[in-house]
Amino acid sequence: MKTSLLTGLMLSTALISTSAFADITITVQAPITGSEATFGAQIKAGAEKAVADINAAGGLLGQQIILNVEDDKCDGTESTSVANRVAGSGSVFVVGSYCSGASIPASSVYAESQIIQISPASTNPKFTDERPGPGIYRVCGRDDQQGPAAAKYILEHFAGKNVAFLNDKSPYGEGLALEAQKAYEAGGGKPVLVDAFNKGDTDFNALITKLKAAKVDLIYTGTYHTEAGTLIKQARAQGLEATLMAGDALVSEQFWTISGPAGEGTLMTFSPDPAKNPAVADIVKAFTDAGTTPEGYVLYTYGAVQAWAAAATKAGTTDFEPVVKALDEGTFDTVIGSIDFDEKGDVSLPGYVMYSWHDGKYDYAK
């Protein structure tokens, strides 16, 4: 009797172990806490919904996907620690991170560990230009596309106006502002002021004094939503009526929460909004019904998971080399459109467009 019970227990344990092993583990890496947590929430929501929908449809290769969530706080050092932890976790795919300063150091660990990484949001060109190996991709655009798009708009709509370029010294902010400034100057523009501040600054009064003295009409800043919202709010309080323009780090309603009415008319570049595509109306509704606004990088994350899952399905495995081959060679139908990747790992998507903030929401600039 004891032998029978022991044999049964061993068999049960083996079945449980086999079942657990059969599950496919992937990881979402994002700033879950910290100043960029609003974007971490977008990425987490997109990944969770994508995984839930795949599992509800029968899973991937007959197995269920388990989603692991890691918080890198948008910090390079923390990101490396996260990546090393993920490398030992059994994850075969990472979607993330948000900040280029976190995605770039993590990519070295993932490339060495043969874990595929697709960022839905990291726009610094170095992420793919200097990628440490195959298997590193992004489904968003690049700052050397985004900056020139902003410069073109400035040259067309603010011709003859006084333009200042600012950045927050972060890999994202500094890189984006530099690309915008270079393209602006190449088009014949001459900035009246070029300056920088520190990411995390909360007092911009001295900088605003400089902007007023330069009689600035447009402030282009490479920074995140927290600093941008604080900057424009303090500028309005000092009587500076210049238009603020920034990049994709403002695609969160949290920008307006910080800026309030001072954010009215703020301009920003971002990819065409996939939520406006009638073909994905059901998914958009599912997010909305669940209490999640599919803004910013929600659908880009969903699409990144879709692309990886489709590549694994085509490869018939989640092993690194066959899935990389499938990603490199395939075209994938996703919520952000039909996509493929070039030899660097960059995505083939339409370029950047201009948006404008109005009454707490953003939409295409008229």
Side-chain angles (χ1 to χ4, degrees):
M1 185 67 174
K2 288 182 180 180
T3 302
S4 177
L5 285 172
L6 180 59
T7 302
L9 179 60
M10 291 174 63
L11 177 60
S12 176
T13 302
L15 289 172
I16 292 172
S17 177
T18 301
S19 175
F21 182 75
D23 290 334
I24 299 168
T25 300
I26 69 173
T27 294
V28 55
Q29 177 183 336
I32 305 301
T33 60
S35 61
E36 309 311 320
T38 183
F39 292 102
Q42 291 177 6
I43 292 172
K44 181 173 178 284
E48 287 177 339
K49 176 64 174 167
V51 167
D53 288 350
I54 292 170
N55 284 341
L60 176 64
L61 303 175
Q63 301 169 7
Q64 293 287 286
I65 299 176
I66 304 299
L67 183 65
N68 175 42
V69 178
E70 290 283 355
D71 179 13
D72 64 22
K73 301 177 176 64
C74 202
D75 176 80
T77 301
E78 185 68 26
S79 177
T80 301
S81 296
V82 164
N84 282 312
R85 187 160 60 245
V86 171
S89 72
S91 282
V92 295
F93 166 59
V94 173
V95 58
S97 182
Y98 167 66
C99 297
S100 296
S103 287
I104 291 171
S107 69
S108 295
V109 179
Y110 294 137
E112 183 178 355
S113 304
Q114 293 201 321
I115 297 173
I116 291 168
Q117 177 188 11
I118 304 179
S119 172
S122 294
T123 55
N124 190 300
K126 291 181 180 179
F127 179 63
T128 49
D129 283 356
E130 300 177 10
R131 69 175 182 169
I136 307 298
Y137 305 88
R138 61 174 142 211
V139 292
C140 58
R142 298 162 50 106
D143 290 336
D144 52 6
Q145 298 168 333
Q146 183 170 199
K152 182 175 185 293
Y153 189 94
I154 295 169
L155 290 165
E156 291 176 354
H157 296 271
F158 291 85
K161 300 294 185 180
N162 292 335
V163 180
F165 287 87
L166 310 177
N167 74 82
D168 65 5
K169 302 180 185 177
S170 71
Y172 164 76
E174 185 174 16
L176 177 58
L178 179 60
E179 294 292 348
Q181 182 185 339
K182 281 178 9 185
Y184 176 71
E185 291 175 342
K190 295 182 179 180
V192 296
L193 179 67
V194 176
D195 210 333
F197 54 90
N198 294 308
K199 187 178 185 303
D201 280 356
T202 58
D203 184 353
F204 294 95
N205 288 306
L207 184 55
I208 291 166
T209 298
K210 291 183 184 180
L211 294 167
K212 291 176 69 175
K215 298 181 180 179
V216 169
D217 299 300
L218 175 78
I219 306 164
Y220 185 89
T221 180
T223 193
Y224 294 87
H225 70 289
T226 303
E227 290 78 11
T230 304
L231 171 62
I232 195 61
K233 186 173 184 178
Q234 292 179 8
R236 294 291 182 263
Q238 284 201 37
L240 179 60
E241 295 301 320
T243 300
L244 180 69
M245 181 187 288
D248 56 305
L250 267 62
V251 289
S252 167
E253 292 177 357
Q254 285 297 310
F255 166 72
W256 191 270
T257 299
I258 295 166
S259 72
E264 184 70 25
T266 292
L267 300 168
M268 67 178 186
T269 44
F270 188 51
S271 301
D273 187 356
K276 295 182 180 296
N277 183 355
V280 299
D282 289 346
I283 292 176
V284 170
K285 184 177 184 300
F287 274 111
T288 304
D289 289 348
T292 297
T293 302
E295 63 176 347
Y297 290 105
V298 173
L299 294 180
Y300 282 83
T301 305
Y302 191 109
V305 176
Q306 280 184 306
W308 169 79
T313 299
K314 180 180 178 181
T317 178
T318 59
D319 290 348
F320 180 79
E321 290 185 0
V323 178
V324 165
K325 185 174 187 294
L327 284 168
D328 288 346
E329 298 176 353
T331 299
F332 310 98
D333 292 324
T334 73
V335 294
I336 58 175
S338 178
I339 65 173
D340 56 40
F341 299 97
D342 66 16
E343 66 279 0
K344 291 182 177 180
D346 287 318
V347 72
S348 59
L349 278 176
Y352 286 88
V353 297
M354 192 63 67
Y355 291 78
S356 178
W357 278 92
H358 170 64
D359 196 23
K361 303 289 182 181
Y362 62 84
D363 204 346
Y364 295 134
K366 298 295 188 292

